[in-house]
Amino acid sequence: PPEDRLLRAIRDSWERQTDREDRERYPWIEPIIGEYFFASIDRVQGIGIERIVDVCAEVVSGRAARRTGFQVHPLRASAGGGSAQLVRSDGARAYRASLQIRSSAARRLHYWKLTDGRVELAQIGYHDDFSIH
């Protein structure tokens, strides 16, 4: 199934991008693929699946939050800096990570950080998109 292939690709990327020490500090935690994730990949143009997979691997292991190139930050209700972070009824908190930088239409990965520490990959969107499913 497509979900299994995507999860395998993300795990393979995590293994390829990390060494033994990294794997101990940033262990693999199986993500959840959100209901709209595949549709968002098809909808958003201008970004390759390889880049999406590589960024997902960094996000699910927790490494992306500590690396400046991914610009991980809370996904807020609007562009205003004082806007509150989106929080789901189950307590999951919304975040976004950069798939691209230095572009007004830069693509972003939107995801939920669940209360148990896992990541739910929600969607791929554009820089000015503050939605999440």
Side-chain angles (χ1 to χ4, degrees):
E3 185 171 319
D4 291 347
R5 286 195 305 272
L6 179 61
L7 288 171
R8 183 72 231 170
I10 294 169
R11 184 175 177 106
D12 288 349
S13 176
W14 172 78
E15 289 174 352
R16 195 174 50 254
Q17 294 183 79
T18 58
D19 58 23
R20 188 176 53 83
E21 185 177 305
D22 284 337
R23 289 184 201 115
E24 289 174 11
R25 283 179 55 198
Y26 306 105
W28 172 256
I29 301 171
E30 187 90 6
I32 295 169
I33 306 297
E35 180 179 353
Y36 299 98
F37 193 72
F38 283 108
S40 73
I41 291 172
D42 293 338
R43 182 178 44 81
V44 174
Q45 302 297 309
I47 189 76
I49 189 67
E50 297 83 14
R51 177 65 178 165
I52 292 169
V53 164
D54 288 347
V55 172
C56 287
E58 294 288 323
V59 164
V60 301
S61 70
R63 255 177 36 143
R66 290 169 176 70
R67 299 178 73 195
T68 58
F70 297 103
Q71 302 173 335
V72 172
H73 58 279
L75 179 59
R76 300 183 185 282
S78 70
S83 182
Q85 181 178 20
L86 296 171
V87 179
R88 225 168 39 186
S89 62
D90 64 358
R93 296 177 134 350
Y95 288 88
R96 58 194 264 168
S98 296
L99 293 165
Q100 299 171 310
I101 55 173
R102 297 188 196 105
S103 167
S104 61
R107 282 63 173 179
R108 303 288 188 251
L109 167 64
H110 294 187
Y111 64 95
W112 296 101
K113 185 75 169 180
L114 307 178
T115 57
D116 66 4
R118 291 179 301 151
V119 167
E120 180 180 324
L121 302 169
Q123 69 192 54
I124 304 301
Y126 294 101
H127 179 269
D128 294 332
D129 179 4
F130 293 93
S131 66
I132 188 167
H133 295 283

